[in-house]
Amino acid sequence: MFALRNLKPYAVKSLVTRPIAQHLRASSLSLRKFSLLTETQEKDTTQQMFSVGKKNGFLPRQDPLEELPEEFSRLESLLQRMPMQLLDGKPGLLASGQFGDAVRDELPLYEIDGITDQRLLSALFRDYTFAASAYLLEPCDILYRSQSDYGLGRKVLPMNIAVPLSKVSKKIHSQPFMEYALSYALYNYKKINPLGGLTYDNLALIRAFAGSESEKGFVLNHVTMVSYSPSLVRYATGALEAVEANDRKKFDNQMAGLNETYENINREMEMMWSRSMPEDYIKFRTFIMGTKNQPMFPDGVIYEGVSDQPVSHRGESGANDSMVPLGDNLLQITELMPENPLTHVLRDFRSYRPTNHREFLEYVQYKAKEVGLKEFAMKDPNSAAIYLSNIDQIRAFRHRHWSFTKEYIIKHTSHPVATGGSPIITWLPNQLGAVLELLNKVSDQIKKDQLTESNLIRVEEITKRALAQKRFLDREVASLKTKFKDQDRT
């Protein structure tokens, strides 16, 4: 921990809504306001399930709906029978490649026009996206299991999935394809003890493709990580308020709390190694791939009954999580990212988040720049040290993500594209490399002779590590690019 010069804890006040910038498609700015979720809205059935608040952070405002109501019993039945391994150990529909036939034979075209309850709409979105991905990618999974080649996916999503999925996605303002928050991870958990917390031993999956312990661990480890996000929201908004009030003591306190929260998230992230085995990930990875920039869908996918024109969507990816983008925007890292096609992919991923998440992240980015958070931090050496440590936590997250990519994916497949459609070798290092360079630049600007002893030690440790990691990363990526093709394709 940092020496905070005997600071007293400050309570985080309610977020004061002020005009913020929203990036429009024409790259113009439009001022608007943002409000965090209130207690009254928590129980409002018309409020989006993913609404950022101090109690829930980036998790849904209510626990996910575990089972569809009786009127959707055939969809519920299909999804319960879908995983390769069922709860009783028997093989499910995907194990024998029978899911597509079951969809065509059993699933009616459900009418969802009159549904307004956001909890049910979110559950339907989750379930129809699971059905869509399973249907489209089932042939790829069958071929990969026998030949380690994905081949081609199905070109047409049938009307009984495509039409209701498209309608539900419009109602909740999302893309009509599987997403990280709205589908696979953050709306796909249930509490074993409803009164218990979001601890790993109290969580179970609602939907699955493989039905394995490793898939469970992979998904639920993300949930336990995001369970720390309420603190991120509180400390981030508190830091912005402190800068605006020119209150350095409060600023240092809020930034120290933010740093500790990111440390907790990174420790929880490290648990992935024991909860999901690297060699198992490839067994369910097929089903979370997208249809954009993937060789399995060279012409996209036609949504039958919606349009005759094929469409493409990025696949589910942890890169769609909002915790690191919050740090990027608050610490003003985003505006320093290199201007290249890989960074354009990062921006494209933003459209695959819940609408309210995007609005909050845009608010933080605009507000941090408006009040000059980085400039405020750098005016005081010890504040700058805490600021630097928060950037280092973002580095630690991205470095661990890159380590997972190497151990869970690169060691087990030569497929050159990640689930979200980004190049597997170059995309993550693009962001990681930029953060490593920023650490060194910020460190150079800190007046070391004015730091407390503990802050000086921390700054020196961060700087040495960043220099070493950047040298190794550059050599590593150069070597891996010789083994994987199309690493410039985005």
Side-chain angles (χ1 to χ4, degrees):
M1 291 297 296
F2 287 97
L4 294 182
R5 297 166 290 194
N6 300 317
L7 300 185
K8 295 180 180 180
Y10 285 78
V12 180
K13 297 179 182 178
S14 300
L15 178 64
V16 178
T17 58
R18 296 180 182 273
I20 66 172
Q22 179 183 20
H23 291 283
L24 301 179
R25 292 180 180 177
S27 299
S28 62
L29 294 174
S30 175
L31 296 181
R32 58 178 175 77
K33 293 183 178 181
F34 184 90
S35 298
L36 293 175
L37 183 69
T38 65
E39 290 188 14
T40 303
Q41 292 171 321
E42 288 176 12
K43 300 178 182 179
D44 184 354
T45 60
T46 64
Q47 180 76 20
Q48 291 181 17
M49 288 307 299
F50 282 89
S51 297
V52 181
K54 294 179 182 179
K55 290 185 178 180
N56 62 300
F58 294 124
L59 288 169
R61 59 185 175 84
Q62 296 177 3
D63 289 337
L65 187 65
E66 299 175 18
E67 188 171 325
L68 295 176
E70 179 62 29
E71 57 262 39
F72 297 99
S73 60
R74 293 190 186 180
L75 176 58
E76 179 70 35
S77 173
L78 273 175
L79 293 172
Q80 288 190 11
R81 292 180 286 129
M82 180 181 72
M84 284 184 270
Q85 180 178 308
L86 304 180
L87 293 176
D88 60 7
K90 295 179 181 178
L93 294 171
L94 288 175
S96 53
Q98 296 179 311
F99 183 76
D101 291 339
V103 165
R104 289 187 287 267
D105 295 342
E106 301 177 26
L107 186 62
L109 177 58
Y110 284 118
E111 177 56 62
I112 56 93
D113 286 349
I115 299 174
T116 58
D117 184 281
Q118 287 290 320
R119 194 164 182 240
L120 176 54
L121 286 171
S122 295
L124 286 169
F125 179 81
R126 174 197 65 209
D127 291 349
Y128 273 115
T129 57
F130 261 86
S133 291
Y135 182 88
L136 293 172
L137 288 154
E138 184 178 44
C140 302
D141 173 67
I142 294 171
L143 185 64
Y144 193 86
R145 279 187 271 156
S146 62
Q147 299 181 26
S148 295
D149 180 26
Y150 290 111
L152 296 175
R154 291 185 169 119
K155 298 180 180 180
V156 178
L157 187 64
M159 184 182 299
N160 52 1
I161 297 177
V163 171
L165 173 56
S166 296
K167 289 183 177 181
V168 169
S169 67
K170 289 179 181 178
K171 285 176 176 283
I172 66 172
H173 310 291
S174 67
Q175 306 265 11
F177 201 77
M178 175 167 282
E179 294 187 17
Y180 163 82
L182 290 160
S183 304
Y184 194 56
L186 304 187
Y187 207 74
N188 191 28
Y189 68 88
K190 58 184 176 182
K191 293 179 180 177
I192 298 171
N193 174 7
L195 300 179
L198 291 172
T199 56
Y200 186 75
D201 57 2
N202 191 43
L203 295 175
L205 283 181
I206 298 175
R207 305 298 183 204
F209 292 114
S212 64
E213 280 297 310
S214 283
E215 184 180 25
K216 168 191 168 184
F218 177 76
V219 174
L220 296 182
N221 204 81
H222 286 85
V223 176
T224 57
M225 288 163 60
V226 182
S227 70
Y228 290 96
S229 63
S231 295
L232 289 184
V233 172
R234 291 194 296 270
Y235 287 124
T237 56
L240 290 170
E241 291 168 356
V243 176
E244 195 160 35
N246 196 30
D247 189 336
R248 187 160 299 281
K249 287 185 177 180
K250 179 179 178 180
F251 175 76
D252 287 354
N253 186 273
Q254 298 300 307
M255 292 294 282
L258 187 77
N259 183 79
E260 184 176 4
T261 303
Y262 274 122
E263 285 180 341
N264 290 333
I265 292 167
N266 278 315
R267 275 195 292 270
E268 190 68 27
M269 188 179 187
E270 188 69 13
M271 297 300 295
M272 182 72 78
W273 299 109
S274 61
R275 293 171 178 169
S276 185
M277 298 300 100
E279 62 272 16
D280 290 342
Y281 177 61
I282 209 73
K283 299 174 184 176
F284 56 87
R285 179 178 181 246
T286 303
F287 293 106
I288 58 176
M289 290 184 175
T291 58
K292 184 174 183 176
N293 197 28
Q294 291 286 3
M296 302 91 78
F297 299 96
D299 303 314
V301 174
I302 292 175
Y303 279 45
E304 185 183 32
V306 178
S307 174
D308 293 332
Q309 297 299 314
V311 293
S312 299
H313 298 96
R314 293 196 179 276
E316 188 277 341
S317 171
N320 299 138
D321 189 85
S322 296
M323 295 189 297
V324 166
L326 172 60
D328 283 345
N329 289 358
L330 179 73
L331 304 172
Q332 296 183 257
I333 299 172
T334 301
E335 59 201 66
L336 301 174
M337 284 291 177
E339 192 62 38
N340 59 36
L342 295 170
T343 301
H344 294 166
V345 174
L346 182 67
R347 293 172 185 150
D348 192 22
F349 273 137
R350 294 175 182 174
S351 62
Y352 292 84
R353 291 193 183 103
T355 303
N356 191 262
H357 285 197
R358 297 200 302 268
E359 292 170 348
F360 177 67
L361 295 177
E362 289 168 2
Y363 169 84
V364 171
Q365 181 177 5
Y366 173 80
K367 195 67 178 178
K369 187 173 183 179
E370 181 190 54
V371 302
L373 185 140
K374 179 184 177 183
E375 182 182 1
F376 183 83
M378 297 305 294
K379 286 180 179 178
D380 180 277
N382 287 287
S383 294
I386 308 172
Y387 171 79
L388 181 75
S389 189
N390 273 283
I391 298 176
D392 189 54
Q393 289 303 317
I394 301 299
R395 173 211 58 81
F397 191 104
R398 286 195 161 108
H399 182 263
R400 191 169 283 105
H401 193 180
W402 173 235
S403 296
F404 287 153
T405 298
K406 290 182 289 184
E407 294 297 321
Y408 283 73
I409 303 172
I410 294 172
K411 277 191 175 182
H412 301 279
T413 180
S414 59
H415 189 66
V417 187
T419 56
S422 59
I424 194 69
I425 300 300
T426 54
W427 190 72
L428 287 175
N430 180 66
Q431 286 78 255
L432 176 57
V435 171
L436 290 169
E437 290 179 357
L438 178 61
L439 284 170
N440 291 314
K441 290 178 181 178
V442 171
S443 176
D444 288 343
Q445 296 170 22
I446 296 175
K447 296 178 180 178
K448 312 296 194 301
D449 60 342
Q450 297 181 29
L451 291 173
T452 63
E453 183 179 357
S454 60
N455 283 349
L456 177 60
I457 294 172
R458 179 64 67 93
V459 168
E460 289 177 343
E461 289 178 349
I462 289 172
T463 305
K464 290 178 182 178
R465 181 170 51 231
L467 287 168
Q469 281 193 1
K470 185 63 169 66
R471 288 195 300 268
F472 184 81
L473 180 67
D474 290 344
R475 293 196 301 267
E476 187 176 45
V477 171
S479 175
L480 288 170
K481 284 178 71 174
T482 65
K483 303 174 183 178
F484 288 79
K485 61 182 181 178
D486 297 330
Q487 290 306 293
D488 296 321
R489 179 182 175 188
T490 59

